[in-house]
Amino acid sequence: MIKFLDLHKINLPYQEAFHQKMQQVLDKSWFILGNEVTAFETDFAAYCGTKYCIGVGNGLDALVLIFKGYIQLGRLQKGDEVLVPSNTYIASILAVLQADLVPVLVEPNLDSYNLNPDLISPKITSKTKAILPVHLYGQLAEMDKINAIAKQHNLLVIEDAAQAHGAFSGTGKAGNLSDAAGFSFYPGKNLGALGDAGAVTTNDADLAKVIFAIRNYGSEKKYHNDFIGVNSRLDEVQAAFLNVKLPHLDKENELRRAIAKRYLAEIKNDKIVLPTWDLSNNHVFHLFVIRTQNREALQKFLKQNTIETLIHYPIAPHQQQAFTDWNKVSFPIAEKIHQEVLSIPISPVMTKAEVDFVIQILNQY
């Protein structure tokens, strides 16, 4: 079986360094907000090109804390509207709701699967205060256009960069293309921890100061609580593991791109729609997502031929049981995407033979 993602194989080269880091943390016995977290925050900010990085518990919390931070600063108020793609992972929408804001769904571009800038302006009302573009599957949203619209209407722009570590364009890297960005380091991400972990990046000193406090019970100084905060701190051990892996991220992203180039050039099957990519570094291929009208049949065929696949994501957000108010609303582009997408194996540890085989089988379908 060609695994969809072989985390054991991905992490195997780092095991000795992981053990060394773990021993260092044990020897210091400083387990919360220690030197490893500080080092990661410094290095990841430098990597993204931002002034600040705040390590938090996970990617969802990263987005929630950005919104709550802007509420504390008076840039947002509870009940404000946030524009968000209609085909995103549920966490993007949950973050808006958990900050007592109102998500407004905007359809994506069918070619890129990212938020369609041409559909943003018709959704803007007097209550709209922010846009949350998602760099879905690892490809940057059209940030130049989105930022131009936001500037025209005085809106905040917050990146959901959970899948786009290291993606960059002529104007900057994911995490440094907006007012603030949320990252996830879930184990399967391009930069993955060995458990839950996340971060906020920003150039906004006031926002960073507030989030540093909110993530730690609202406290800048122990037992002095300036804000109603939460407990969402990047774990010291996970930060240590991320410190080991960060220097290798660009190399691993290049390996992903190399596989993607082969898939795009060599998969030739009229039943399969391949992703659109301009071969630039704006995509890090967290996922390689194809589309087909009979997804169940293709997935079964691939499984019979020992190729594991996943669906990201089978149900559109507005059709989820959790969102009954949206269940009767139609978002046809999002629905088409969620009904047809299938993610095939792509990772920095895939062998040439495995890539050859995936291409061969898809061409036989």
Side-chain angles (χ1 to χ4, degrees):
M1 174 68 71
I2 297 178
K3 290 185 177 182
F4 176 75
L5 186 66
D6 192 335
L7 286 179
H8 179 266
K9 196 173 179 181
I10 286 173
N11 286 310
L12 189 60
Y14 306 116
Q15 283 196 9
E16 184 177 347
F18 287 163
H19 285 297
Q20 291 174 354
K21 280 288 189 181
M22 187 68 200
Q23 191 61 53
Q24 290 171 13
V25 173
L26 287 170
D27 290 344
K28 290 177 182 176
S29 292
W30 190 333
F31 301 113
I32 304 293
L33 298 182
N35 292 337
E36 295 292 345
V37 171
T38 300
F40 179 74
E41 290 173 336
T42 299
D43 291 347
F44 194 66
Y47 177 81
C48 294
T50 58
K51 294 179 181 177
Y52 307 100
C53 169
I54 307 101
V56 299
N58 54 69
L60 172 58
D61 285 358
L63 294 174
V64 173
L65 292 178
I66 292 170
F67 289 126
K68 287 188 173 183
Y70 276 126
I71 289 172
Q72 288 288 348
L73 293 170
R75 294 290 307 276
L76 292 174
Q77 295 181 359
K78 293 180 180 181
D80 284 346
E81 294 178 351
V82 180
L83 306 186
V84 60
S86 59
N87 64 315
T88 186
Y89 179 56
I90 200 72
S92 310
I93 295 167
L94 292 177
V96 177
L97 291 168
Q98 288 187 17
D100 294 318
L101 301 168
V102 179
V104 175
L105 301 183
V106 181
E107 287 272 65
N109 186 311
L110 188 58
D111 291 331
S112 68
Y113 308 121
N114 280 330
L115 183 64
N116 188 339
D118 295 336
L119 301 179
I120 291 175
S121 293
K123 292 282 189 173
I124 295 174
T125 71
S126 60
K127 294 182 179 180
T128 307
K129 301 300 178 184
I131 306 173
L132 179 63
V134 181
H135 305 315
L136 199 64
Y137 310 144
Q139 185 170 28
L140 294 179
E142 295 181 71
M143 295 304 295
D144 289 347
K145 292 182 180 180
I146 292 169
N147 283 324
I149 295 168
K151 185 176 181 180
Q152 180 183 356
H153 294 275
N154 193 29
L155 307 178
L156 291 166
V157 179
I158 295 148
E159 296 166 76
D160 183 338
Q163 300 182 353
H165 318 70
F168 65 94
S169 65
T171 52
K173 271 187 181 174
N176 191 24
L177 300 170
S178 61
D179 294 290
F183 284 90
S184 166
F185 306 114
Y186 183 79
K189 304 295 186 184
N190 291 32
L191 180 61
L194 304 190
D196 275 321
V200 172
T201 57
T202 186
N203 292 306
D204 186 332
D206 293 333
L207 179 67
K209 183 178 180 181
V210 170
I211 294 177
F212 272 122
I214 294 177
R215 73 165 180 187
N216 189 33
Y217 298 102
S219 174
E220 291 183 64
K221 180 181 178 182
K222 196 169 186 178
Y223 303 130
H224 294 256
N225 303 87
D226 300 317
F227 308 100
I228 297 174
V230 299
N231 177 8
S232 181
R233 303 171 296 210
L234 175 59
D235 183 82
E236 183 76 357
V237 174
Q238 297 302 336
F241 296 151
L242 290 169
N243 285 329
V244 170
K245 297 179 76 173
L246 178 58
H248 304 276
L249 177 57
D250 285 343
K251 178 186 70 177
E252 294 190 355
N253 283 343
E254 280 300 322
L255 292 171
R256 289 174 179 269
R257 290 190 190 104
I259 296 170
K261 286 176 182 177
R262 286 203 58 200
Y263 281 164
L264 290 170
E266 300 176 42
I267 296 173
K268 300 181 185 299
N269 188 323
D270 292 340
K271 300 184 185 71
I272 295 169
V273 178
L274 299 174
T276 301
W277 178 41
D278 63 6
L279 303 183
S280 73
N281 293 315
N282 75 338
H283 206 324
V284 292
F285 286 96
H286 170 58
L287 300 170
F288 192 97
V289 179
I290 61 177
R291 292 202 338 264
T292 185
Q293 291 187 356
N294 194 342
R295 179 174 62 197
E296 184 178 349
L298 176 56
Q299 189 172 36
K300 182 178 179 181
F301 175 77
L302 291 171
K303 184 178 181 180
Q304 290 171 342
N305 284 277
T306 70
I307 297 172
E308 185 179 26
T309 59
L310 293 178
I311 300 171
H312 297 88
Y313 304 96
I315 304 172
H318 68 282
Q319 295 178 325
Q320 294 283 359
Q321 185 175 341
F323 301 135
T324 53
D325 290 346
W326 285 342
N327 286 171
K328 294 182 180 180
V329 181
S330 176
F331 291 92
I333 300 174
E335 289 161 19
K336 180 177 180 64
I337 290 169
H338 286 275
Q339 289 164 6
E340 295 183 355
V341 291
L342 186 66
S343 301
I344 63 175
I346 188 168
S347 83
V349 296
M350 283 185 75
T351 66
K352 180 180 181 299
E354 288 174 330
V355 176
D356 290 342
F357 186 70
V358 171
I359 293 169
Q360 174 192 336
I361 296 303
L362 282 168
N363 285 338
Q364 290 177 4
Y365 173 67

